[in-house]
Amino acid sequence: MENVTVIFALTAGVLSFFSPCIFPLIPAYTAHLTGGTINGGKVLVDKQTVMIRSLFFILGFSVIFVLMGASASWIGQLIASYRETVERVSGLLIIIFGLQMLGWLQLNFLMKTKSFNSSSKPSANPFSSFLIGLAFGSGWTPCVGLALSSILLMAGSTETVYSGMFMLWIYSLGLGIPFLIISFTLTYSFKTVKSISKILPKLSKINGVILLGMGLLLFTGQMQIISSWLSSWSWAP
């Protein structure tokens, strides 16, 4: 399933970043991570500092997510003899998550908040940014939780622990690369953030459609068939 799951994991990571729960908070995150101030419609801080602190923050939550992927895969190995059942149950749960994000279901227990919140002083060094990344990865918000939970369910269906870890690493890249780009953009202007914020509800719906499709493929056993079809394509003339 590698070809398909990598695409899904990367896309889910990107769309998680642009969720209404995360994206509007990026200016505050950037200012806190770098010790900068928000003034004149931008974050006032050295651009090299933004780059270094953001990378350590991304590394922090990536470590947590990859460890989650390893745990999910390890559990999956313990019940490998029931893999088909696990895939069907996982697919059904992912379908429910997708319907929730589309607004077609209203299950309040899926939207309990575990948000990052810190009253401490701005981080003074890259290691502090790494710790904040660990905190973010350990207490994600509801919108990220649905997509992340779906990827973890898929990680539990992989054949090896390393496959599950790799899947969560790809998810982390999908979440981290946009964060790095937008954080750097904020040192120039908030205009990009304001423009993207207007289309966040549509992006959330797209995420819901993707989760719904992913769940249906996993539930019906079509994931491997599509992956095999993709692997048959070659760039060779």
Side-chain angles (χ1 to χ4, degrees):
M1 296 191 294
E2 288 298 330
N3 294 322
V4 178
T5 53
V6 166
I7 294 172
F8 274 132
L10 183 63
T11 304
V14 172
L15 291 175
S16 292
F17 173 79
F18 289 106
S19 70
C21 301
I22 292 295
F23 190 76
L25 302 178
I26 298 304
Y29 271 107
T30 302
H32 183 81
L33 286 170
T34 61
T37 58
I38 299 176
N39 191 18
K42 62 182 180 180
V43 177
L44 301 179
V45 68
D46 179 69
K47 293 175 178 56
Q48 183 177 356
T49 300
V50 172
M51 184 69 65
I52 295 175
R53 302 287 176 83
S54 296
L55 286 173
F56 273 86
F57 174 73
I58 293 168
L59 179 61
F61 68 68
S62 295
V63 168
I64 295 297
F65 292 162
V66 171
L67 289 176
M68 289 180 179
S71 300
S73 299
W74 180 74
I75 293 174
Q77 303 306 306
L78 294 179
I79 54 177
S81 57
Y82 304 98
R83 183 172 300 280
E84 184 175 344
T85 301
V86 171
E87 289 183 356
R88 289 186 179 276
V89 172
S90 298
L92 182 59
L93 289 175
I94 294 173
I95 289 172
I96 293 174
F97 294 161
L99 294 174
Q100 177 80 12
M101 294 201 72
L102 285 169
W104 296 352
L105 288 179
Q106 297 295 329
L107 304 177
N108 293 330
F109 69 91
L110 290 178
M111 300 303 290
K112 290 184 178 180
T113 304
K114 284 188 176 182
S115 57
F116 163 76
N117 198 358
S118 177
S119 58
S120 60
K121 295 180 179 180
S123 56
N125 54 63
F127 182 68
S128 297
S129 297
F130 176 75
L131 293 179
I132 294 174
L134 293 176
F136 173 81
S138 301
W140 62 86
T141 58
C143 289
V144 175
L146 291 176
L148 178 59
S149 297
S150 298
I151 301 301
L152 287 172
L153 287 170
M154 295 187 71
S157 301
T158 57
E159 296 181 357
T160 67
V161 172
Y162 293 110
S163 295
M165 293 173 66
F166 178 72
M167 191 183 304
L168 269 296
W169 172 246
I170 295 297
Y171 174 83
S172 299
L173 285 180
L175 185 61
I177 292 175
F179 179 87
L180 184 63
I181 294 173
I182 295 297
S183 295
F184 193 76
T185 302
L186 289 173
T187 62
Y188 292 97
S189 173
F190 282 4
K191 290 183 178 179
T192 301
V193 173
K194 292 179 180 178
S195 297
I196 296 176
S197 294
K198 296 178 181 178
I199 62 173
L200 288 183
K202 294 181 180 180
L203 292 176
S204 181
K205 298 295 184 183
I206 292 174
N207 205 356
V209 170
I210 290 175
L211 292 185
L212 184 59
M214 186 192 325
L216 287 171
L217 289 174
L218 195 60
F219 181 79
T220 59
Q222 298 299 306
M223 190 79 77
Q224 293 180 349
I225 296 176
I226 294 178
S227 183
S228 299
W229 177 76
L230 288 174
S231 63
S232 67
W233 286 84
S234 174
W235 293 103

